[in-house]
Amino acid sequence: MAISELAQLLARSWTFSDLDKRELEGLAAIAQMRVVRPKQTVVKKGDEAGPIFAVLRGRLKVITPGVERDAAFRILGPGDLFGEVAAFDDGERSATVSAIELCQLAVIQRDTFRAFLDQHPSVTRKLLGVFARRVRELSARIEDRAFLEAPARLAKCLVGLAERYGKTQAGRADVVCELKISQGDLGELVDATRELVNKQLRAWKADGLVTHEPDRLVFHDLARLRRLAQP
């Protein structure tokens, strides 16, 4: 991929959106391209800190392996970064990141990225915003576990996916989210069993709320789903 093309892809990330053309091309020049297959693990919790990754195409899930079952924190898509904590901390990887679908990543080595941050303090300020958002996400996740039952957590997760990835189609009221996410993945995201997710999705399909298909989610009534996500 040409540096100019990669720079344009990096510009779509809100983290790098304030960089000018020269800065973006400088960042692209130090990046390497990597293709990741579905279900392939990119980094594992406990691994030594290493490169920083920018998602260019495809989606991945961030997972914390557990004793009884894994817990997924969030879904990453184009424009997201992961592994950037390693730019400031030499500790181990704090989570496992695996591909949900075919992905294309820009990979930047840690020492090279640190040098880039020294030259571009505006990027450092943006990354502080990323860290703040993650703290908020973790706080919200803890609150959800304390105050929401599993069906409400699932509804809230689905609404979030619809708002982030959903699109409307001409002449249709439905919102379509083209995301290859399994019932097991959804269970990880909301800390619930696959059996519970399957049962709830079937009930909501019968009620005309949402349809789960192998390669997409179709939302028929987001307003009702939002109400179910309330405590």
Side-chain angles (χ1 to χ4, degrees):
M1 179 179 292
I3 288 178
S4 59
E5 183 180 358
L6 178 54
Q8 291 175 2
L9 289 172
L10 291 173
R12 298 175 184 174
S13 167
W14 70 267
T15 306
F16 300 133
S17 60
D18 285 347
L19 273 64
D20 59 32
K21 180 180 179 182
R22 185 174 61 178
E23 292 170 333
L24 286 166
E25 291 183 347
L27 189 62
I30 62 174
Q32 298 173 320
M33 303 302 299
R34 179 175 174 184
V35 175
V36 182
R37 300 184 305 274
K39 298 184 179 181
Q40 183 177 345
T41 296
V42 182
V43 299
K44 292 181 65 176
K45 181 179 179 180
D47 284 352
E48 181 180 350
I52 293 86
F53 301 87
V55 184
L56 303 179
R57 296 187 178 93
R59 297 180 180 92
L60 308 93
K61 59 181 177 179
V62 182
I63 310 164
T64 297
V67 176
E68 296 184 359
R69 60 175 178 266
D70 296 341
F73 280 99
R74 62 191 180 277
I75 300 293
L76 301 175
D80 285 327
L81 295 181
F82 63 96
E84 72 277 9
V85 174
F88 305 95
D89 183 2
D90 292 324
E92 298 177 342
R93 298 289 190 187
S94 59
T96 296
V97 180
S98 299
I100 296 174
E101 55 195 22
L102 187 68
C103 297
Q104 187 177 36
L105 309 176
V107 186
I108 305 173
Q109 297 303 316
R110 180 179 52 181
D111 291 343
T112 306
F113 193 59
R114 284 176 169 174
F116 182 84
L117 293 179
D118 288 341
Q119 298 171 10
H120 304 89
S122 63
V123 179
T124 303
R125 291 194 294 271
K126 285 289 225 175
L127 287 176
L128 291 176
V130 173
F131 300 150
R133 184 181 68 182
R134 290 189 178 175
V135 170
R136 291 179 185 273
E137 290 176 351
L138 289 173
S139 297
R141 184 179 176 87
I142 292 171
E143 290 180 2
D144 288 347
R145 294 299 178 275
F147 300 113
L148 295 181
E149 297 294 334
R153 296 200 302 269
L154 179 59
K156 184 174 182 178
C157 174
L158 291 173
V159 168
L161 293 175
E163 291 176 344
R164 184 171 185 185
Y165 301 115
K167 297 180 181 179
T168 56
Q169 297 179 336
R172 297 184 59 182
D174 293 343
V175 175
V176 178
C177 177
E178 294 184 350
L179 178 63
K180 295 180 180 179
I181 186 166
S182 70
Q183 293 179 359
D185 292 331
L186 290 170
E188 291 173 358
L189 285 169
V190 301
D191 194 19
T193 64
R194 181 191 176 281
E195 291 74 18
L196 185 148
V197 171
N198 177 271
K199 179 180 178 181
Q200 193 62 67
L201 287 175
R202 284 190 286 109
W204 285 343
K205 179 180 180 180
D207 288 342
L209 272 70
V210 59
T211 299
H212 176 260
E213 299 177 1
D215 58 352
R216 65 177 188 168
L217 288 158
V218 183
F219 298 92
H220 311 295
D221 194 337
L222 270 177
R224 286 176 60 196
L225 202 58
R226 287 191 180 95
R227 290 196 292 272
L228 291 174
Q230 300 303 312

